[in-house]
Structure formats: C-alpha cells, structure tokens
Amino acid sequence: MEKKEIFSQVIHMEERIGALHDELGELKEQLAMLIEENQALALENKHLRERMDEKNQSNKPIKPKKTLKDHPNVGEGYDNLARLYHEGFHICNLHYGSLRVDGDCLFCLSFLHQK
Ligand SMILES: [Zn+2]
C-alpha cells in the first residue's frame, strides 16, 4: 500500500470517528433528557399517589392528616414544605405544587429561608 493511500485512509477513518463521536454526543443528550423526563414523571406520579392516599384516608373516620391547605402559615408545615421542595416541587406562591424543571427557584428558596 502506498503511503499516500494509507494517509487518506487514516483521514477517512478520523472523519468517521468524528461523526460517530457527534452521534454519540446527541444520543447522550437524548438519554439525559429521557432520564430527566422519566424522573419528573415518577415524582409527579408519586406526588399524585400521596395525594390520593391522603384523600382516601380523610374519607375514613380516622383523624384526617393535616394538609398544607389547613396551614397556610409557615409552622408545622415547614418541614413538609422543605421536603416537597427537595423532592422537586415548587412551594412558592407563584408555582405552588408544580414541578421545578429549571433547578432551584428563587421564590421557593426565599420562602424556605424566611425562617
Ligand atoms: Zn418556586
């Protein structure tokens, strides 16, 4: 094989590797998005199940679990709110109960740190 031929083969291979690398990067991005979406859905599902359980329990004669709605003021609900926030939900007035998709929320944080 001529040196020139080998050289062009190496160049060609380099291009293919580059293309594969790009493709891999895209796949990784898609995978990350899917994982994120899956996590969000799992959280939402969990949240909905908890709410369903709370509703079912409140139908029974057992003393119903106090919910955040009964305690609009920061008090014993604080731990609950902190937990909700760390599970990925908004606890601020603006987006209360919805999933935090953009990471930390300044409104939530200032609310949490009021105490
Ligand atoms: Zn928020």
PDB file of all heavy atoms in Angstrom, residues 85 89-100 103-109 111, ligand 1:
ATOM      1  N   TYR A  85     -40.091  20.671  48.507  1.00  0.00           N
ATOM      2  CA  TYR A  85     -39.154  21.412  47.673  1.00  0.00           C
ATOM      3  C   TYR A  85     -38.007  20.509  47.240  1.00  0.00           C
ATOM      4  O   TYR A  85     -37.638  20.466  46.068  1.00  0.00           O
ATOM      5  CB  TYR A  85     -38.609  22.637  48.408  1.00  0.00           C
ATOM      6  CG  TYR A  85     -37.678  23.438  47.543  1.00  0.00           C
ATOM      7  CD1 TYR A  85     -38.180  24.247  46.535  1.00  0.00           C
ATOM      8  CD2 TYR A  85     -36.302  23.347  47.694  1.00  0.00           C
ATOM      9  CE1 TYR A  85     -37.343  24.960  45.704  1.00  0.00           C
ATOM     10  CE2 TYR A  85     -35.450  24.060  46.869  1.00  0.00           C
ATOM     11  CZ  TYR A  85     -35.973  24.865  45.877  1.00  0.00           C
ATOM     12  OH  TYR A  85     -35.138  25.550  45.053  1.00  0.00           O
ATOM     13  N   PHE A  89     -40.593  19.981  43.900  1.00  0.00           N
ATOM     14  CA  PHE A  89     -41.810  20.740  43.629  1.00  0.00           C
ATOM     15  C   PHE A  89     -41.686  22.189  44.096  1.00  0.00           C
ATOM     16  O   PHE A  89     -40.930  22.475  45.014  1.00  0.00           O
ATOM     17  CB  PHE A  89     -43.005  20.101  44.330  1.00  0.00           C
ATOM     18  CG  PHE A  89     -43.346  18.757  43.782  1.00  0.00           C
ATOM     19  CD1 PHE A  89     -42.858  17.613  44.381  1.00  0.00           C
ATOM     20  CD2 PHE A  89     -44.122  18.640  42.636  1.00  0.00           C
ATOM     21  CE1 PHE A  89     -43.145  16.367  43.858  1.00  0.00           C
ATOM     22  CE2 PHE A  89     -44.418  17.402  42.112  1.00  0.00           C
ATOM     23  CZ  PHE A  89     -43.932  16.271  42.721  1.00  0.00           C
ATOM     24  N   HIS A  90     -42.433  23.041  43.452  1.00  0.00           N
ATOM     25  CA  HIS A  90     -42.481  24.433  43.881  1.00  0.00           C
ATOM     26  C   HIS A  90     -43.335  24.541  45.142  1.00  0.00           C
ATOM     27  O   HIS A  90     -44.366  23.895  45.265  1.00  0.00           O
ATOM     28  CB  HIS A  90     -43.134  25.303  42.798  1.00  0.00           C
ATOM     29  CG  HIS A  90     -42.200  25.663  41.691  1.00  0.00           C
ATOM     30  ND1 HIS A  90     -41.219  26.612  41.815  1.00  0.00           N
ATOM     31  CD2 HIS A  90     -42.097  25.191  40.427  1.00  0.00           C
ATOM     32  CE1 HIS A  90     -40.561  26.720  40.674  1.00  0.00           C
ATOM     33  NE2 HIS A  90     -41.068  25.862  39.807  1.00  0.00           N
ATOM     34  N   ILE A  91     -42.865  25.378  46.043  1.00  0.00           N
ATOM     35  CA  ILE A  91     -43.668  25.652  47.235  1.00  0.00           C
ATOM     36  C   ILE A  91     -43.965  27.135  47.322  1.00  0.00           C
ATOM     37  O   ILE A  91     -44.558  27.605  48.283  1.00  0.00           O
ATOM     38  CB  ILE A  91     -42.942  25.197  48.516  1.00  0.00           C
ATOM     39  CG1 ILE A  91     -41.554  25.841  48.578  1.00  0.00           C
ATOM     40  CG2 ILE A  91     -42.830  23.686  48.560  1.00  0.00           C
ATOM     41  CD1 ILE A  91     -40.935  25.756  49.943  1.00  0.00           C
ATOM     42  N   CYS A  92     -43.523  27.878  46.293  1.00  0.00           N
ATOM     43  CA  CYS A  92     -43.759  29.322  46.305  1.00  0.00           C
ATOM     44  C   CYS A  92     -45.181  29.606  45.816  1.00  0.00           C
ATOM     45  O   CYS A  92     -45.829  28.746  45.222  1.00  0.00           O
ATOM     46  CB  CYS A  92     -42.738  30.020  45.405  1.00  0.00           C
ATOM     47  SG  CYS A  92     -42.784  29.480  43.692  1.00  0.00           S
ATOM     48  N   ASN A  93     -45.631  30.813  46.107  1.00  0.00           N
ATOM     49  CA  ASN A  93     -46.993  31.181  45.712  1.00  0.00           C
ATOM     50  C   ASN A  93     -47.193  31.149  44.207  1.00  0.00           C
ATOM     51  O   ASN A  93     -48.279  30.870  43.712  1.00  0.00           O
ATOM     52  CB  ASN A  93     -47.325  32.579  46.222  1.00  0.00           C
ATOM     53  CG  ASN A  93     -47.424  32.609  47.731  1.00  0.00           C
ATOM     54  OD1 ASN A  93     -47.766  31.606  48.340  1.00  0.00           O
ATOM     55  ND2 ASN A  93     -47.102  33.742  48.324  1.00  0.00           N
ATOM     56  N   LEU A  94     -46.099  31.450  43.491  1.00  0.00           N
ATOM     57  CA  LEU A  94     -46.214  31.562  42.040  1.00  0.00           C
ATOM     58  C   LEU A  94     -46.512  30.229  41.354  1.00  0.00           C
ATOM     59  O   LEU A  94     -47.341  30.155  40.459  1.00  0.00           O
ATOM     60  CB  LEU A  94     -44.923  32.140  41.463  1.00  0.00           C
ATOM     61  CG  LEU A  94     -44.736  33.641  41.672  1.00  0.00           C
ATOM     62  CD1 LEU A  94     -43.347  34.056  41.224  1.00  0.00           C
ATOM     63  CD2 LEU A  94     -45.794  34.406  40.908  1.00  0.00           C
ATOM     64  N   HIS A  95     -45.792  29.186  41.789  1.00  0.00           N
ATOM     65  CA  HIS A  95     -45.916  27.908  41.066  1.00  0.00           C
ATOM     66  C   HIS A  95     -46.250  26.756  41.995  1.00  0.00           C
ATOM     67  O   HIS A  95     -45.919  25.618  41.708  1.00  0.00           O
ATOM     68  CB  HIS A  95     -44.606  27.583  40.342  1.00  0.00           C
ATOM     69  CG  HIS A  95     -44.074  28.705  39.526  1.00  0.00           C
ATOM     70  ND1 HIS A  95     -44.682  29.139  38.375  1.00  0.00           N
ATOM     71  CD2 HIS A  95     -42.987  29.498  39.699  1.00  0.00           C
ATOM     72  CE1 HIS A  95     -43.985  30.149  37.878  1.00  0.00           C
ATOM     73  NE2 HIS A  95     -42.967  30.395  38.658  1.00  0.00           N
ATOM     74  N   TYR A  96     -46.886  27.066  43.105  1.00  0.00           N
ATOM     75  CA  TYR A  96     -47.076  26.038  44.122  1.00  0.00           C
ATOM     76  C   TYR A  96     -47.573  24.699  43.551  1.00  0.00           C
ATOM     77  O   TYR A  96     -48.547  24.661  42.804  1.00  0.00           O
ATOM     78  CB  TYR A  96     -48.060  26.507  45.191  1.00  0.00           C
ATOM     79  CG  TYR A  96     -48.223  25.494  46.286  1.00  0.00           C
ATOM     80  CD1 TYR A  96     -47.288  25.415  47.307  1.00  0.00           C
ATOM     81  CD2 TYR A  96     -49.262  24.576  46.255  1.00  0.00           C
ATOM     82  CE1 TYR A  96     -47.392  24.474  48.287  1.00  0.00           C
ATOM     83  CE2 TYR A  96     -49.383  23.613  47.237  1.00  0.00           C
ATOM     84  CZ  TYR A  96     -48.438  23.571  48.253  1.00  0.00           C
ATOM     85  OH  TYR A  96     -48.545  22.614  49.201  1.00  0.00           O
ATOM     86  N   GLY A  97     -46.865  23.634  43.916  1.00  0.00           N
ATOM     87  CA  GLY A  97     -47.314  22.293  43.551  1.00  0.00           C
ATOM     88  C   GLY A  97     -46.827  21.804  42.211  1.00  0.00           C
ATOM     89  O   GLY A  97     -46.928  20.615  41.923  1.00  0.00           O
ATOM     90  N   SER A  98     -46.280  22.709  41.384  1.00  0.00           N
ATOM     91  CA  SER A  98     -45.812  22.232  40.091  1.00  0.00           C
ATOM     92  C   SER A  98     -44.342  21.834  40.193  1.00  0.00           C
ATOM     93  O   SER A  98     -43.638  22.221  41.116  1.00  0.00           O
ATOM     94  CB  SER A  98     -46.016  23.296  39.013  1.00  0.00           C
ATOM     95  OG  SER A  98     -45.303  24.452  39.344  1.00  0.00           O
ATOM     96  N   LEU A  99     -43.910  21.025  39.237  1.00  0.00           N
ATOM     97  CA  LEU A  99     -42.541  20.521  39.255  1.00  0.00           C
ATOM     98  C   LEU A  99     -41.543  21.616  38.924  1.00  0.00           C
ATOM     99  O   LEU A  99     -41.793  22.430  38.054  1.00  0.00           O
ATOM    100  CB  LEU A  99     -42.389  19.412  38.229  1.00  0.00           C
ATOM    101  CG  LEU A  99     -42.694  18.008  38.707  1.00  0.00           C
ATOM    102  CD1 LEU A  99     -42.683  17.067  37.533  1.00  0.00           C
ATOM    103  CD2 LEU A  99     -41.692  17.565  39.746  1.00  0.00           C
ATOM    104  N   ARG A 100     -40.437  21.593  39.664  1.00  0.00           N
ATOM    105  CA  ARG A 100     -39.363  22.529  39.350  1.00  0.00           C
ATOM    106  C   ARG A 100     -38.536  21.919  38.242  1.00  0.00           C
ATOM    107  O   ARG A 100     -37.827  20.953  38.445  1.00  0.00           O
ATOM    108  CB  ARG A 100     -38.475  22.752  40.576  1.00  0.00           C
ATOM    109  CG  ARG A 100     -39.116  23.579  41.646  1.00  0.00           C
ATOM    110  CD  ARG A 100     -38.117  23.943  42.721  1.00  0.00           C
ATOM    111  NE  ARG A 100     -37.694  22.787  43.504  1.00  0.00           N
ATOM    112  CZ  ARG A 100     -36.471  22.312  43.500  1.00  0.00           C
ATOM    113  NH1 ARG A 100     -35.536  22.858  42.773  1.00  0.00           N
ATOM    114  NH2 ARG A 100     -36.177  21.262  44.235  1.00  0.00           N
ATOM    115  N   GLY A 103     -34.336  23.641  37.963  1.00  0.00           N
ATOM    116  CA  GLY A 103     -33.463  23.656  39.131  1.00  0.00           C
ATOM    117  C   GLY A 103     -34.049  24.498  40.244  1.00  0.00           C
ATOM    118  O   GLY A 103     -35.265  24.558  40.401  1.00  0.00           O
ATOM    119  N   ASP A 104     -33.164  25.160  40.990  1.00  0.00           N
ATOM    120  CA  ASP A 104     -33.632  25.931  42.129  1.00  0.00           C
ATOM    121  C   ASP A 104     -34.527  27.088  41.704  1.00  0.00           C
ATOM    122  O   ASP A 104     -34.355  27.674  40.654  1.00  0.00           O
ATOM    123  CB  ASP A 104     -32.439  26.477  42.905  1.00  0.00           C
ATOM    124  CG  ASP A 104     -31.816  25.397  43.780  1.00  0.00           C
ATOM    125  OD1 ASP A 104     -32.549  24.468  44.166  1.00  0.00           O
ATOM    126  OD2 ASP A 104     -30.617  25.487  44.057  1.00  0.00           O
ATOM    127  N   CYS A 105     -35.511  27.397  42.560  1.00  0.00           N
ATOM    128  CA  CYS A 105     -36.405  28.522  42.312  1.00  0.00           C
ATOM    129  C   CYS A 105     -36.153  29.558  43.402  1.00  0.00           C
ATOM    130  O   CYS A 105     -36.193  29.244  44.585  1.00  0.00           O
ATOM    131  CB  CYS A 105     -37.851  28.039  42.352  1.00  0.00           C
ATOM    132  SG  CYS A 105     -39.034  29.391  42.403  1.00  0.00           S
ATOM    133  N   LEU A 106     -35.860  30.759  42.963  1.00  0.00           N
ATOM    134  CA  LEU A 106     -35.522  31.809  43.927  1.00  0.00           C
ATOM    135  C   LEU A 106     -36.676  32.120  44.872  1.00  0.00           C
ATOM    136  O   LEU A 106     -36.481  32.403  46.049  1.00  0.00           O
ATOM    137  CB  LEU A 106     -35.099  33.075  43.193  1.00  0.00           C
ATOM    138  CG  LEU A 106     -33.741  32.984  42.499  1.00  0.00           C
ATOM    139  CD1 LEU A 106     -33.439  34.272  41.746  1.00  0.00           C
ATOM    140  CD2 LEU A 106     -32.642  32.702  43.521  1.00  0.00           C
ATOM    141  N   PHE A 107     -37.906  32.063  44.343  1.00  0.00           N
ATOM    142  CA  PHE A 107     -39.072  32.353  45.162  1.00  0.00           C
ATOM    143  C   PHE A 107     -39.217  31.300  46.275  1.00  0.00           C
ATOM    144  O   PHE A 107     -39.465  31.637  47.437  1.00  0.00           O
ATOM    145  CB  PHE A 107     -40.327  32.403  44.317  1.00  0.00           C
ATOM    146  CG  PHE A 107     -40.267  33.467  43.262  1.00  0.00           C
ATOM    147  CD1 PHE A 107     -40.148  33.125  41.922  1.00  0.00           C
ATOM    148  CD2 PHE A 107     -40.328  34.801  43.603  1.00  0.00           C
ATOM    149  CE1 PHE A 107     -40.085  34.096  40.947  1.00  0.00           C
ATOM    150  CE2 PHE A 107     -40.252  35.787  42.645  1.00  0.00           C
ATOM    151  CZ  PHE A 107     -40.135  35.431  41.312  1.00  0.00           C
ATOM    152  N   CYS A 108     -39.055  30.045  45.846  1.00  0.00           N
ATOM    153  CA  CYS A 108     -39.141  28.958  46.821  1.00  0.00           C
ATOM    154  C   CYS A 108     -38.051  29.120  47.876  1.00  0.00           C
ATOM    155  O   CYS A 108     -38.305  28.992  49.074  1.00  0.00           O
ATOM    156  CB  CYS A 108     -38.946  27.610  46.132  1.00  0.00           C
ATOM    157  SG  CYS A 108     -40.324  27.111  45.090  1.00  0.00           S
ATOM    158  N   LEU A 109     -36.836  29.390  47.419  1.00  0.00           N
ATOM    159  CA  LEU A 109     -35.710  29.483  48.334  1.00  0.00           C
ATOM    160  C   LEU A 109     -35.896  30.612  49.344  1.00  0.00           C
ATOM    161  O   LEU A 109     -35.649  30.437  50.539  1.00  0.00           O
ATOM    162  CB  LEU A 109     -34.404  29.678  47.561  1.00  0.00           C
ATOM    163  CG  LEU A 109     -33.887  28.423  46.857  1.00  0.00           C
ATOM    164  CD1 LEU A 109     -32.635  28.722  46.059  1.00  0.00           C
ATOM    165  CD2 LEU A 109     -33.623  27.310  47.869  1.00  0.00           C
ATOM    166  N   PHE A 111     -38.625  31.765  50.298  1.00  0.00           N
ATOM    167  CA  PHE A 111     -39.700  31.329  51.177  1.00  0.00           C
ATOM    168  C   PHE A 111     -39.167  30.373  52.242  1.00  0.00           C
ATOM    169  O   PHE A 111     -39.482  30.511  53.430  1.00  0.00           O
ATOM    170  CB  PHE A 111     -40.777  30.640  50.329  1.00  0.00           C
ATOM    171  CG  PHE A 111     -41.995  30.267  51.117  1.00  0.00           C
ATOM    172  CD1 PHE A 111     -42.827  31.240  51.640  1.00  0.00           C
ATOM    173  CD2 PHE A 111     -42.302  28.933  51.337  1.00  0.00           C
ATOM    174  CE1 PHE A 111     -43.954  30.887  52.359  1.00  0.00           C
ATOM    175  CE2 PHE A 111     -43.435  28.582  52.055  1.00  0.00           C
ATOM    176  CZ  PHE A 111     -44.247  29.567  52.566  1.00  0.00           C
TER     177      PHE A 111
HETATM  178 ZN    ZN B   1     -40.971  28.184  43.157  1.00  0.00          ZN
END
